[in-house]
Amino acid sequence: MPAHFTGMLSPSTYDIMNPSADTRLQAIEKDADNEDRHRSASSTQERTAAAEQELDTNSPLAWTSIVNDRSLVQFLGERAQQEPEFKQQLLAYIEHSKKDKRWRTAAANAITILVRGGVQFNGADLQGIRIPGADLSYGSFDSANLQDADLRGVNLRSMLLRQTDLGRAWMAGAQFGELPSLKVDITPRSCGYSPDGKALAVGLENGDINIYSTSNWEKTLTLKGHSDVVWRVVYSPKSDQIVSAGQDETVLVWDSETGSLQHMLTGHTNWVHCVTYSPQGDKIASASDDWTVRVWDAVTGDCSLILSGHIGGVLCVAYSPNGQQIVSSSADCKIRLWNAETGRCNRVLSGHRDWAWGVAYSPQGDQIASASKDMTVQLWDVETGARRFVLTGHIEAIECIAYSPKGDQIASGSVDSTVRLWDAESGHCLQTLTGHEEGVSSIIYSSNGDQIATTSWDKSVRLWDISARASRFIPNGHTLSVNSVKCSSKADFVASGSGDRTIRIWDLKTGASCYSLRGHTDPVYCIAYSPQGTRLASGGADTTVRIWNMNSRTCLHTLTGHSDNVETITYSPKGDAVASASSDMTVRLWDIETGNCARILGGHTDGVLSVAYSPSGDIIASGSKDCTVRIWDAGTGECCQILIGHAKWARDVAFSPRGNRLASAGYDKTIRIWDVDTWRCHRILTGHSDRVKSIAYSQQGDLLASGSWDGVVRLWDVTTGQCRAEVSNFWESVNSLSWSATCNGNYLITGCSDASVLKWSVTNEEGCCRVRLLWSATNGVLTMIGGSIQDARGLSLLNKQLLKQRGAIGEPEILSCEKSEKLITVTSVESKPEQSSSASIVPTNQSEQVEQLADHSQSS
């Protein structure tokens, strides 16, 4: 525990946080035994206990805000995980804040600690809690009741707020970590802030340049002149000009006020990828696929220098802060430093193994950052040319890079659809920004460094808030689509395979991330546990099947033979064989011990998407893009039956636990149930409004779960064919389903295109099938689909627009500008302790001032 906090603890509080070893062990064991029954942080029992608990008024948590002390919050969050009594004390603060505003500092501290400690408030009754200034970033509050809650100045970045009720909540100054995204019809390829940050220029794939006001996303101007893609657009240092680089081999200079074309700079003989101004604004440098950099006079448009030396297309160019040097990066993998006056090459930096897409000078001029197709960011010392750091973490090519105005951060954008923020001094990754659905094509900081703008192939422009109070918590979930989820036979773990090329193992009970398996070189499409749970099979776009030892966490075999994507994989009931289905139109049967291919099942006329063993292991079913389901003899490999019925792809197949039924899911939006004895269609289940991607029988065989592109999971009664329950409001398609059963109940795991892994409890209550979210592992994308902001108070127009984009319903109250300014003042006062050397200590008079301002604004 940090020393400055230990000294502030009262004896009673310290006892709560540090019980004896025996007491702690008993508490942990008791908590583990009841984990599934107490997953909701504010379950009825916990709320009752919290309400009855005597509060410790001497605890520093009751009167000192520690929200911005990240190390202390992390430490106490780990304590809350381990010690139930301390967790109850924190919950008591939250509960008491509903009735007594004096506990709001304690409640804000408590809920911040609990969220950071991994506690999820899904379905919690938090109506009326007072937690101004709390940090709930990356928290899970699915279906929670936050009506009338005091959420002023609360950090709500990257939260799961699906079906959460924020009706009448006080939300002035709430921070979401981003502004509304801009969706455009034409793919944006580049963007550039005006020096004052009030305008953003966006270069489009059709050659147009749109100018937007960053305050409301209104388009103020359209510049037409390029005949093809605008690869780069930049404001001049004085804001009077805009310069753009085009695939049409030209550089265009525009009047930023009127939008009139001032100069068309010609001379390049191939695509112009990049353009930049000198610090004084009198020169323009452009980089082209013709292997050259050209320097132009910004006033006359004359070409004054041609820099030659690269032996590949020049992809990026930048001036040093003093204007004396130019740096360029190229498809020849090299970085070149040039004298800006003479055009002489002073140094060549070698280190990248593939195209160097981006390059940038630090504002101090002592360091250069380069971004490459080799998936690395490399930092170079300008004076010596030495490479200081190689930054890894992106899993696809990095196409753009930028320094913050202060030079303390570097932002990189990748084809993997993420933005990473790096510490420029240490090279450590500070944060990963997720939300784009496709690759990031350009990135730029605002002049004050509080925001980043990015463009993406998903036809969106996003503005990210990276101000000082932004959370530095890095989620440990997948960064791309979760394509497959499977529960182990012992019901202790769940595995997930993703487009980010990794397999992650989660604690099935708590949702904690245990470890990752890496080896696939392309997206992982399918995984399967062995019946014993000791091995895991995986397949993906790299055409390989891998067999993993789950005890040693090592790859035992890499099985090759398929010539296209491995779409689905499954173990035989005995665990001695694995069947893999591939887009190469075959199913392969593999011997697990030797790794040899024992048999190839051929017959489908298009890619095979799914495969399943019957419970007895004597037959195999496969579904295909040819719209048929084939039945194979597992011993001989002969095709026994061809089931025809689906009008489109047969995407998934599953046998019932008894083996008397086979279910098939189709892209025709239907599920077909086949009788195994006669192979006739027994029933057709309809209800999904889009393609059905996945199906799974419960272990008892009484329910069949289906997931679809329509973002809905349906639970079907296998006897009647009726839909017993529907789980809607998934942000994207549900790709995979897996059941698990314990003595405490039945659980369903879902894997989705939004990179989430979710665990649901499925219960039968008074004849009704009830589904509740227990835990979520997400990639940190703000989600509020189905959530209500009806009559929410103090929500800004931009935040309202953002939440509407993320699926919120209802109309909030909008405060007048005067009231909004007062509430923003409250937020700034509450965040001041972070700037002081003793961030965890707030002077009494300042704390009283915050409360008085807050009370005044709330009464208004």
Side-chain angles (χ1 to χ4, degrees):
M1 178 182 300
H4 72 275
F5 192 79
T6 305
M8 297 167 63
L9 289 177
S10 66
S12 58
T13 305
Y14 192 80
D15 289 341
I16 289 175
M17 297 175 64
N18 295 275
S20 66
D22 290 340
T23 303
R24 183 164 59 248
L25 181 59
Q26 292 170 5
I28 293 172
E29 289 176 346
K30 180 180 179 181
D31 194 48
D33 291 339
N34 295 300
E35 183 67 36
D36 283 323
R37 291 190 295 272
H38 295 277
R39 281 304 302 162
S40 173
S42 291
S43 65
T44 302
Q45 296 92 332
E46 285 188 319
R47 289 199 307 272
T48 302
E52 295 176 351
Q53 183 157 349
E54 183 177 349
L55 298 183
D56 180 8
T57 58
N58 295 320
S59 168
L61 292 177
W63 51 269
T64 301
S65 175
I66 65 165
V67 169
N68 294 322
D69 191 330
R70 296 189 179 98
S71 60
L72 180 55
V73 168
Q74 185 66 38
F75 173 81
L76 295 177
E78 293 170 0
R79 283 290 186 192
Q81 287 179 333
Q82 299 166 6
E83 299 171 9
E85 295 171 33
F86 181 48
K87 178 181 174 182
Q88 284 297 326
Q89 176 75 58
L90 298 176
L91 290 171
Y93 286 139
I94 298 170
E95 192 68 23
H96 279 72
S97 74
K98 296 178 179 180
K99 300 178 180 178
D100 191 339
K101 68 180 182 181
R102 291 177 300 174
W103 295 106
R104 59 187 171 195
T105 297
N109 287 334
I111 201 165
T112 299
I113 293 167
L114 290 170
V115 168
R116 197 56 61 238
V119 174
Q120 300 195 2
F121 290 82
N122 302 316
D125 182 6
L126 302 172
Q127 183 173 3
I129 64 169
R130 294 178 171 96
I131 53 169
D135 185 355
L136 308 185
S137 57
Y138 299 95
S140 183
F141 287 71
D142 182 273
S143 302
N145 180 6
L146 283 165
Q147 289 183 351
D148 300 299
D150 185 352
L151 304 178
R152 291 166 301 168
V154 172
N155 188 345
L156 302 172
R157 172 191 300 263
S158 303
M159 289 184 62
L160 177 60
L161 294 168
R162 193 189 71 99
Q163 297 182 167
T164 298
D165 191 347
L166 293 169
R168 301 184 306 280
W170 292 89
M171 302 187 68
Q175 302 168 42
F176 294 94
E178 55 186 302
L179 296 177
S181 61
L182 173 67
K183 285 288 186 179
V184 291
D185 294 330
I186 308 298
T187 303
R189 289 291 189 174
S190 55
C191 63
Y193 269 110
S194 62
D196 60 9
K198 294 181 179 180
L200 187 75
V202 179
L204 304 177
E205 201 168 52
N206 68 348
D208 290 350
I209 300 169
N210 289 339
I211 312 298
Y212 297 92
S213 168
T214 55
S215 64
N216 55 14
W217 276 133
E218 287 187 5
K219 184 166 63 175
T220 59
L221 204 60
T222 296
L223 312 181
K224 291 182 176 290
H226 286 289
S227 60
D228 213 327
V229 179
V230 179
W231 289 113
R232 188 63 61 94
V233 59
V234 180
Y235 274 89
S236 66
K238 296 179 181 178
S239 292
D240 56 335
Q241 285 183 335
I242 294 173
V243 66
S244 56
Q247 191 166 308
D248 58 8
E249 304 177 7
T250 67
V251 175
L252 302 184
V253 182
W254 312 81
D255 183 291
S256 62
E257 185 69 25
T258 65
S260 60
L261 181 63
Q262 294 182 338
H263 299 291
M264 177 182 288
L265 312 182
T266 59
H268 284 298
T269 59
N270 211 326
W271 297 4
V272 185
H273 280 287
C274 186
V275 68
T276 188
Y277 276 95
S278 65
Q280 296 77 24
D282 58 336
K283 300 289 184 182
I284 295 171
S286 57
S288 170
D289 256 351
D290 64 9
W291 298 12
T292 69
V293 172
R294 287 179 176 252
V295 179
W296 315 80
D297 186 289
V299 177
T300 66
D302 295 332
C303 179
S304 58
L305 281 176
I306 300 177
L307 313 181
S308 301
H310 284 294
I311 56 172
V314 187
L315 305 175
C316 192
V317 64
Y319 268 96
S320 63
N322 60 15
Q324 296 176 5
Q325 280 192 328
I326 294 173
V327 63
S328 59
S329 64
S330 167
D332 64 10
C333 313
K334 300 293 192 293
I335 312 295
R336 286 180 174 262
L337 277 68
W338 313 82
N339 184 298
E341 290 297 321
T342 66
R344 183 170 60 89
C345 181
N346 296 328
R347 179 172 282 119
V348 178
L349 308 179
S350 300
H352 285 296
R353 295 175 287 103
D354 212 328
W355 292 9
W357 270 110
V359 68
Y361 264 100
S362 67
Q364 295 76 22
D366 59 340
Q367 185 172 267
I368 288 172
S370 56
S372 171
K373 193 176 178 181
D374 66 12
M375 301 182 288
T376 70
V377 171
Q378 301 191 10
L379 306 186
W380 309 84
D381 185 282
V382 171
E383 185 174 348
T384 66
R387 186 170 61 183
R388 297 185 57 206
F389 295 108
V390 177
L391 313 183
T392 60
H394 285 295
I395 62 171
E396 296 284 355
I398 307 170
E399 292 206 347
C400 47
I401 195 161
Y403 272 94
S404 65
K406 294 180 180 178
D408 57 336
Q409 283 185 359
I410 299 167
S412 57
S414 169
V415 177
D416 66 13
S417 78
T418 69
V419 173
R420 284 181 175 255
L421 304 184
W422 312 85
D423 185 283
E425 184 63 29
S426 67
H428 293 151
C429 182
L430 301 173
Q431 197 172 355
T432 301
L433 306 179
T434 57
H436 280 301
E437 298 173 6
E438 295 187 43
V440 180
S441 55
S442 69
I443 192 167
I444 187 171
Y445 278 88
S446 61
S447 57
N448 62 9
D450 285 346
Q451 291 181 353
I452 287 176
T454 56
T455 61
S456 168
W457 305 337
D458 63 11
K459 297 185 178 180
S460 75
V461 182
R462 285 181 178 265
L463 296 183
W464 310 87
D465 176 13
I466 57 164
S467 56
R469 193 165 181 260
S471 174
R472 293 294 180 263
F473 175 71
I474 299 177
N476 54 12
H478 288 293
T479 58
L480 294 176
S481 172
V482 175
N483 300 316
S484 182
V485 291
K486 288 293 184 296
C487 296
S488 64
S489 57
K490 298 179 182 178
D492 50 357
F493 295 108
V494 59
S496 56
S498 169
D500 64 14
R501 307 177 187 178
T502 68
I503 300 163
R504 292 182 181 269
I505 309 300
W506 312 86
D507 185 296
L508 183 56
K509 182 176 290 187
T510 66
S513 177
C514 300
Y515 57 91
S516 298
L517 302 176
R518 301 175 185 273
H520 284 284
T521 57
D522 280 307
V524 180
Y525 287 151
C526 51
I527 54 175
Y529 269 104
S530 66
Q532 299 79 18
T534 57
R535 292 184 180 181
L536 184 81
S538 61
D542 62 7
T543 74
T544 68
V545 173
R546 291 175 180 263
I547 308 298
W548 306 84
N549 183 308
M550 301 309 287
N551 294 323
S552 63
R553 305 176 188 178
T554 58
C555 182
L556 298 176
H557 300 293
T558 300
L559 313 180
T560 59
H562 284 297
S563 58
D564 209 334
N565 298 343
V566 179
E567 301 284 354
T568 309
I569 199 163
T570 185
Y571 269 91
S572 64
K574 294 181 180 179
D576 57 343
V578 162
S580 57
S582 170
S583 290
D584 65 9
M585 300 188 291
T586 69
V587 174
R588 286 180 176 252
L589 307 184
W590 309 85
D591 184 285
I592 290 304
E593 292 304 320
T594 65
N596 296 328
C597 180
R599 187 167 281 109
I600 300 176
L601 310 183
H604 282 293
T605 59
D606 207 335
V608 188
L609 300 174
S610 55
V611 64
Y613 273 96
S614 65
S616 62
D618 57 344
I619 58 176
I620 295 171
S622 59
S624 168
K625 291 180 181 179
D626 64 15
C627 308
T628 70
V629 175
R630 285 182 177 249
I631 308 301
W632 312 83
D633 185 293
T636 66
E638 294 181 0
C639 181
C640 308
Q641 293 283 339
I642 301 177
L643 310 182
I644 299 175
H646 285 293
K648 294 184 178 180
W649 295 0
R651 184 62 184 87
D652 201 7
V653 291
F655 280 96
S656 64
R658 292 172 53 196
N660 62 326
R661 294 282 190 266
L662 174 70
S664 59
Y667 271 18
D668 57 7
K669 309 177 189 178
T670 71
I671 301 159
R672 290 178 175 259
I673 310 298
W674 308 85
D675 184 280
V676 171
D677 291 330
T678 64
W679 294 120
R680 292 182 177 178
C681 184
H682 172 67
R683 180 174 281 116
I684 300 176
L685 309 180
T686 60
H688 283 292
S689 60
D690 206 336
R691 297 155 290 177
V692 185
K693 295 194 71 174
S694 55
I695 49 175
Y697 276 98
S698 64
Q699 293 185 342
Q700 294 78 13
D702 57 334
L703 293 174
L704 178 70
S706 59
S708 167
W709 279 88
D710 61 12
V712 175
V713 170
R714 286 176 173 263
L715 301 184
W716 307 88
D717 187 301
V718 299
T719 302
T720 66
Q722 298 298 311
C723 181
R724 295 282 309 282
E726 180 180 291
V727 185
S728 58
N729 291 329
F730 286 92
W731 189 244
E732 295 186 42
S733 65
V734 182
N735 298 331
S736 184
L737 301 161
S738 182
W739 288 87
S740 178
T742 69
C743 59
N744 292 320
N746 295 320
Y747 306 101
L748 181 67
I749 307 297
T750 57
C752 303
S753 289
D754 63 4
S756 67
V757 178
L758 308 176
K759 177 185 177 182
W760 309 82
S761 70
V762 181
T763 58
N764 193 351
E765 300 177 8
E766 299 179 353
C768 295
C769 187
R770 299 291 299 276
V771 184
R772 297 183 179 88
L773 181 65
L774 295 182
W775 57 253
S776 62
T778 68
N779 68 344
V781 175
L782 175 66
T783 303
M784 201 180 175
I785 187 166
S788 173
I789 54 174
Q790 184 65 39
D791 297 326
R793 292 167 279 194
L795 198 63
S796 70
L797 288 171
L798 283 176
N799 282 340
K800 170 193 170 182
Q801 185 180 348
L802 171 66
L803 294 182
K804 288 281 190 177
Q805 285 183 350
R806 300 309 168 86
I809 58 177
E811 290 298 321
E813 292 182 4
I814 304 298
L815 291 184
S816 66
C817 293
E818 180 182 355
K819 292 180 180 178
S820 296
E821 289 173 0
K822 291 179 181 178
L823 293 173
I824 290 172
T825 303
V826 174
T827 306
S828 64
V829 172
E830 289 180 325
S831 62
K832 281 184 179 178
E834 185 182 29
Q835 302 170 2
S836 65
S837 58
S838 54
S840 61
I841 301 176
V842 181
T844 303
N845 58 347
Q846 180 175 308
S847 179
E848 291 175 352
Q849 180 187 10
V850 171
E851 291 188 357
Q852 290 169 2
L853 285 170
D855 290 339
H856 173 73
S857 60
Q858 189 164 5
S859 63
S860 299

